[in-house]
Amino acid sequence: MKLFECQACGQPLYFENTRCESCARTLGYLPQEAALSALEPSRGAWRALAAPERLFRFCANAEHDACNWLIDEAQPQRFCVACSHNRTVPDLSNPTNLARWRRIEMAKRRLFYTLMRLGLPLRTRAVDPQGLAFDFLADPDEGPSPRILTGHQDGLITLNIAEADDAERERRRHSMGEPYRTLLGHFRHEVGHYYWTVLVEEAGHLEAFRTVFGDEREDYGEALKRHYASGPRAGWQNEYVSAYAGSHPWEDWAETWAHYLHIVDTLETASAFSMRVRPRIGLGEELSAEIDFDPHHNVSLNRLVAAWLPLTFAVNSLNRSMGQPDLYPFVLSPAVIGKLAFIHERIHDGAGDASRGSGHGVLHAVIDRLRRPVGPMQDG
């Protein structure tokens, strides 16, 4: 995520802000410009200081305090580019549902920020019957109806809104033995299934995918049953980014895809702060990184990972100093980096050599140095 500032007074802003705390101007996000803009009322609409030549109005979901994205006043649609993918929202007359849905939309907008910055295709159901769509559903209050399961099928992502409750999400994380579980992580994982169809199956890269991730024709239901009955496969840490990734090639892709989006978004934030990592230890030169590039465009996978490993070592160390769990409780093995490279190439297919890279070579020394330090803290 980039940094934002008020065009009127220079106040630093968060992506989610709707009002400048310094000059009290209304704020709105311009998705095409990737800019959070101070606004001025004009002829029943809004003039954005970041794009003063046009007039805008807010997405219809702004009336629920659930969206701060803008739509060009000349366009007919009621919903912004992110909200237009919603198929079902919960009963908003229920205050609990409304509060949870607002948190979900906040995470979803961060997802769409990255998808748009990467230039990934975003097809709605109005354009494609299997386009990207979201059902945000609540568990039934009573009766025999089954609980809502978060998942993906044919472009439709279903999310149980209970995941927006921090305590419930933490309970589920512990019950499933996961080191990490967030709303944004859910979105990044589930949208990975959608982009497997778009960037692998439809784009004709199935054989290459099978070489890297395995054969997705393995029975998916049986693979998940085996995973939950017997636990993760032995030695999964050497081949997969998470235990769940080892359950089936589709889940391996989705888990690795989510981590790719974690990396890109976090590195952009680090770049916006002009961050440099130079550990004051004997091996500090080998574990240093200067994050001064846009991770979305014209950068090799080698460069992404060479910056990511020292950065996560640093932020994990900071978290431990605060008595907190590791911010990034994962280890990227050479095999996982090779899978990240495959995803990187699918995203930047045709972008040229500057945006490619095998993920190996010069990274081996950094990986070997950081394999132990970046490991997750043990639960006590």
Side-chain angles (χ1 to χ4, degrees), residues 88 90 97 100 104 134-141 144-152 156-163 168 171-172 176 181 186:
T88 307
N97 289 352
R100 290 177 175 180
I104 286 167
F134 298 90
D135 280 352
F136 301 128
L137 306 176
D139 284 327
D141 292 331
S145 299
R147 298 298 183 186
I148 302 299
L149 297 178
T150 294
H152 166 273
L156 177 63
I157 293 173
T158 300
L159 181 66
N160 188 328
I161 65 169
E163 291 286 350
E168 174 61 20
R171 184 193 67 78
R172 296 185 185 197
M176 300 183 75
R181 190 180 182 95
H186 275 315

Side-chain angles (χ1 to χ4, degrees), residues 118-133:
L118 289 170
L120 289 165
L122 290 166
R123 303 194 296 257
T124 65
R125 289 286 165 115
V127 175
D128 180 354
Q130 293 189 330
L132 181 61

Side-chain angles (χ1 to χ4, degrees), residues 159-206:
L159 181 66
N160 188 328
I161 65 169
E163 291 286 350
D165 181 87
D166 292 342
E168 174 61 20
R169 191 174 60 254
E170 182 66 7
R171 184 193 67 78
R172 296 185 185 197
R173 185 187 73 80
H174 273 285
S175 69
M176 300 183 75
E178 298 173 342
Y180 171 92
R181 190 180 182 95
T182 67
L183 281 174
L184 186 53
H186 275 315
F187 275 119
R188 287 172 172 166
H189 173 99
E190 298 302 341
V191 85
H193 288 297
Y194 170 73
Y195 282 109
W196 181 86
T197 301
V198 174
L199 300 179
V200 176
E201 186 177 42
E202 293 179 357
H205 295 295
L206 278 173

Side-chain angles (χ1 to χ4, degrees), residues 13-282:
L13 304 170
Y14 287 111
F15 180 60
E16 295 81 9
N17 285 156
T18 58
R19 178 181 180 273
C20 177
E21 295 300 323
S22 176
C23 68
R25 286 177 182 263
T26 299
L27 303 172
Y29 182 71
L30 301 168
Q32 301 305 326
E33 291 81 0
L36 185 62
S37 180
L39 305 175
E40 294 178 345
S42 177
R43 294 178 289 173
W46 295 96
R47 188 173 302 279
L49 271 61
E53 70 284 355
R54 309 198 313 276
L55 294 178
F56 299 89
R57 67 178 182 279
F58 277 100
C59 171
N61 282 334
E63 67 181 84
H64 302 292
D65 195 24
C67 186
N68 66 340
W69 285 29
L70 296 166
I71 304 168
D72 194 305
E73 179 67 9
Q75 300 301 315
Q77 63 266 29
R78 296 181 60 240
F79 297 102
C80 71
V81 65
C83 292
S84 63
H85 289 267
N86 289 357
R87 193 180 79 158
T88 307
V89 299
D91 176 8
L92 301 182
S93 66
N94 180 318
T96 299
N97 289 352
L98 178 59
R100 290 177 175 180
W101 179 59
R102 285 171 176 162
R103 296 188 198 108
I104 286 167
E105 288 294 341
M106 188 181 301
K108 195 192 76 183
R109 288 195 300 277
R110 282 189 171 258
L111 168 74
F112 271 75
Y113 171 89
T114 303
L115 299 180
M116 295 182 72
R117 293 277 283 137
L118 289 170
L120 289 165
L122 290 166
R123 303 194 296 257
T124 65
R125 289 286 165 115
V127 175
D128 180 354
Q130 293 189 330
L132 181 61
F134 298 90
D135 280 352
F136 301 128
L137 306 176
D139 284 327
D141 292 331
E142 55 186 29
S145 299
R147 298 298 183 186
I148 302 299
L149 297 178
T150 294
H152 166 273
Q153 184 172 11
D154 298 329
L156 177 63
I157 293 173
T158 300
L159 181 66
N160 188 328
I161 65 169
E163 291 286 350
D165 181 87
D166 292 342
E168 174 61 20
R169 191 174 60 254
E170 182 66 7
R171 184 193 67 78
R172 296 185 185 197
R173 185 187 73 80
H174 273 285
S175 69
M176 300 183 75
E178 298 173 342
Y180 171 92
R181 190 180 182 95
T182 67
L183 281 174
L184 186 53
H186 275 315
F187 275 119
R188 287 172 172 166
H189 173 99
E190 298 302 341
V191 85
H193 288 297
Y194 170 73
Y195 282 109
W196 181 86
T197 301
V198 174
L199 300 179
V200 176
E201 186 177 42
E202 293 179 357
H205 295 295
L206 278 173
E207 290 306 318
F209 169 83
R210 290 165 185 163
T211 298
V212 177
F213 288 88
D215 194 335
E216 84 291 349
R217 292 170 292 188
E218 175 191 1
D219 189 288
Y220 179 71
E222 290 301 317
L224 291 191
K225 287 180 183 178
R226 183 171 60 250
H227 172 78
Y228 287 118
S230 305
R233 61 181 68 195
W236 65 264
Q237 298 90 339
N238 296 322
E239 300 293 330
Y240 304 98
V241 73
S242 69
Y244 185 57
S247 63
H248 187 275
W250 279 337
E251 297 303 337
D252 192 9
W253 161 276
E255 285 285 89
T256 311
W257 173 279
H259 281 259
Y260 183 86
L261 298 192
H262 293 335
I263 290 168
V264 167
D265 194 21
T266 307
L267 285 178
E268 185 186 29
T269 306
S271 177
F273 279 96
S274 298
M275 292 187 68
R276 294 186 300 172
V277 180
R278 292 184 178 178
R280 294 180 179 178
I281 56 177

